[in-house]
């Protein structure tokens, strides 16, 4: 497939692909029906890409009637245009090299001219998941409604277990996530690779005033022989969490001071303990394959209140995943193209999720 080493662009072949006249309408319909950002760039939906690209392929009701000699560019997709579309879609340094590889595979499999029966394969090559990851896209397996599970996959070559661990701790993600009011960790006594993580989630804006806080205490472990698993965490029981809040109240006080929380310590701790039951269960993990560069963040959470939309959960967890992977987009306001599966359904559409709210 395109993500596994397709043929490079050959200097001896034309740096463009011609869409045959009887295939032009079919290609336009296929690209338009996909709602995938790279397809929208190829199609020429410049407004959807915030003006970052000009058209690559632009069909017209009169396309089958065009004469090649009169309208030589109407059904061409040039290498330059493909590079521009990938860069406009993914906005990553590696995106144009991926465009070269895709162009080479299109040439190798489909030739210099693409007919009507080859359009579906054209789109398959263009939107291959490996291509998407290589160019800087993200894959999200969303099973929030059916079980509270979410998995976020991205490609980040060159990471190490140590570099990931250094971003997992200190547990201070409240600094970059508006829905986190307070986070901190303390070492588990007698377990050098384990930590208790204290989290208070309070939805941003009006929702936070309505539903209040969602606190949890989890046990984070860095396994020494866990294969690709760098870290995993599980929620401690509510009675144990209440005991730990009391045991580590001085740490809670210091965390409140860092977060700018001026509520009375005893009052805040009592609310923390009282509201623990609003989070019924939570567990997750971070894994990394150094051979492929694939980074996966997974979390499952069940709470007493259903958020208004999956994006309420996906957006902040996407930002956490990017932070743990050392991806600079965690701190940026740029939107990222994401493959999305809905509750074990097929990955048919891409959605843009902005990891930064403000």
């Amino acid at each position: 497939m395109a993500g596994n080493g397709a043929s490079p662009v050959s200097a001896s072949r034309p740096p463009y692909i011609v869409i045959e006249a009887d295939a032009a309408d079919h290609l336009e319909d296929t690209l338009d029906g996909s709602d995938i950002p790279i397809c929208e760039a190829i199609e020429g939906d410049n407004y959807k890409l915030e003006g970052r690209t000009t058209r690559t392929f632009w069909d017209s009701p009169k396309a089958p009637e065009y004469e090649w000699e009169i309208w030589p560019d109407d059904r061409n997709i040039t290498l330059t245009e493909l590079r521009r579309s990938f860069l406009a879609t993914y906005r990553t340094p590696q995106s144009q090299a991926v465009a070269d590889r895709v162009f080479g595979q299109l040439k190798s499999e489909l030739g210099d001219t693409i007919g009507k029966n080859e359009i579906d394969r054209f789109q398959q090559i263009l939107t291959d998941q490996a291509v998407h990851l290589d160019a800087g896209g993200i894959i999200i397996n969303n099973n929030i409604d059916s079980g509270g599970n979410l998995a976020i996959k991205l490609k980040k070559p060159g990471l190490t277990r140590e570099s990931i661990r250094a971003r997992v701790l200190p547990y201070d993600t409240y600094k970059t996530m508006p829905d986190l009011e307070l986070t901190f960790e303390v070492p588990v006594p007698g377990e050098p690779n384990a930590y208790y993580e204290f989290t208070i989630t309070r939805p941003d804006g009006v929702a936070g005033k309505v539903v209040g806080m969602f606190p949890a205490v989890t046990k984070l472990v860095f396994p020494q022989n866990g294969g690709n698993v760098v870290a995993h965490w599980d929620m401690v029981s509510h009675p144990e969490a209440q005991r730990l809040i009391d045991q580590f109240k001085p740490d809670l006080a210091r965390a409140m001071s860092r977060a700018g929380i001026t509520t009375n310590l005893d009052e805040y701790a009592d609310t923390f303990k009282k509201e623990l039951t609003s989070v019924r269960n939570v567990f997750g993990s971070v894994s990394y394959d150094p051979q492929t560069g694939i980074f996966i963040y997974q979390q499952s959470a069940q709470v007493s209140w259903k958020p208004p939309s999956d994006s309420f959960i996906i957006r902040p967890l996407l930002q956490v995943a990017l932070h743990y992977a050392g991806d600079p987009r965690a701190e940026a306001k740029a939107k990222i193209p994401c493959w999305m599966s809905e509750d074990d359904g097929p990955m048919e559409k891409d959605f843009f999720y902005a990891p930064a709210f403000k």
Side-chain angles (χ1 to χ4, degrees), residues 142-290:
N142 172 21
N143 298 311
I144 292 174
D145 291 338
S146 62
N149 302 310
L150 187 74
I152 299 170
K153 179 189 294 187
L154 58 98
K155 189 166 185 176
K156 190 75 173 176
L159 297 181
T160 64
R161 296 176 71 90
E162 292 74 21
S163 67
I164 297 171
R165 175 171 174 162
R167 285 184 288 269
V168 174
L169 291 180
Y171 185 45
D172 56 3
T173 48
Y174 74 92
K175 293 180 179 179
T176 56
M177 290 179 58
D179 288 339
L180 292 183
E181 181 171 280
L182 176 145
T183 58
F184 70 98
E185 86 287 346
V186 295
V188 176
E191 298 184 42
N193 295 304
Y195 298 80
Y196 291 123
E197 291 190 323
F198 296 76
T199 306
I200 292 182
T201 302
R202 191 186 298 271
D204 196 28
V206 177
K209 297 178 180 179
V210 174
V211 303
M213 67 165 61
F214 290 87
V217 180
T218 55
K219 183 179 180 180
L220 172 77
V221 177
F222 293 108
Q224 299 304 292
N225 298 300
N228 291 334
V229 177
V230 178
H232 62 80
W233 55 91
D234 294 274
M235 189 179 78
V236 303
S237 68
H238 293 146
E240 176 68 4
Q242 291 177 331
R243 186 189 68 77
L244 291 171
I245 292 168
D246 289 334
Q247 178 181 347
F248 296 107
K249 188 176 288 187
D251 297 273
L252 174 61
R254 287 188 287 271
M256 290 173 61
S257 177
R258 289 193 298 268
I261 298 171
T262 58
T263 305
N264 174 270
L265 172 61
D266 291 332
E267 179 183 342
Y268 195 78
D270 287 344
T271 304
F272 195 156
K273 292 187 290 184
K274 179 182 177 181
E275 297 296 329
L276 283 167
T277 54
S278 63
V279 179
R280 297 167 182 168
N281 192 25
V282 60
F283 59 89
S285 66
V286 173
S287 62
Y288 182 71
D289 185 342

Side-chain angles (χ1 to χ4, degrees), residues 55 62-76:
R55 69 98 175 164
K62 296 181 180 180
E65 302 174 7
Y66 287 165
E67 295 291 338
W68 173 255
E69 294 82 3
I70 301 175
W71 307 101
D73 297 323
D74 284 339
R75 294 188 302 276
N76 277 1

